[in-house]
Amino acid sequence: MTQSTMTLVLYFVVFFGIMYFLMIRPQQKQAKKRQALMSSLRTRDQVITTGGIYGKITKVKEDSVILEIADKVEIEMAKSGIVSVENREIELDKK
């Protein structure tokens, strides 16, 4: 291999390393945090949905939750529609 070929290969390795640390790794961290949020939902959590609705979880099902959004007003929504939990911090498991 010539010197110019080695330089080109080195540029590609550096470029993909930068792309990994700037794009791929942060997305993986965000996906892990989102998964931790979905798996740690429990009753009495104060949550915000993707539509901006504030509510309190009254029942957790396998793929959905029952939210109380006002007195005696409950809706069922998919777990994936929950953006954040307001009353506690979600910890990522260090594996």
Side-chain angles (χ1 to χ4, degrees):
M1 292 176 81
T2 64
Q3 182 68 26
S4 62
T5 307
M6 291 295 289
T7 305
L8 184 62
V9 169
L10 181 64
Y11 281 137
F12 275 120
V13 168
V14 170
F15 175 74
F16 285 116
I18 291 171
M19 293 298 289
Y20 174 78
F21 283 107
L22 292 179
M23 294 180 68
I24 298 169
R25 191 163 178 246
Q27 281 183 333
Q28 289 175 341
K29 280 184 165 183
Q30 187 178 23
K32 282 183 183 180
K33 188 173 183 176
R34 180 91 176 132
Q35 184 60 38
L37 172 76
M38 293 299 120
S39 64
S40 70
L41 291 174
R42 56 185 185 223
T43 58
R44 296 190 307 268
D45 278 346
Q46 301 287 334
V47 297
I48 300 176
T49 67
T50 55
I53 298 172
Y54 288 77
K56 181 170 68 171
I57 296 176
T58 57
K59 185 177 180 183
V60 179
K61 296 182 178 180
E62 186 174 330
D63 293 325
S64 63
V65 294
I66 306 293
L67 286 181
E68 181 180 355
I69 56 175
D71 289 338
K72 299 179 185 177
V73 179
E74 293 184 336
I75 58 173
E76 183 173 3
M77 100 174 297
K79 283 184 177 181
S80 61
I82 294 176
V83 175
S84 68
V85 176
E86 294 297 303
N87 60 328
R88 64 188 173 92
E89 291 292 321
I90 305 299
E91 296 292 328
L92 287 178
D93 293 334
K94 300 291 182 190
K95 291 183 180 181

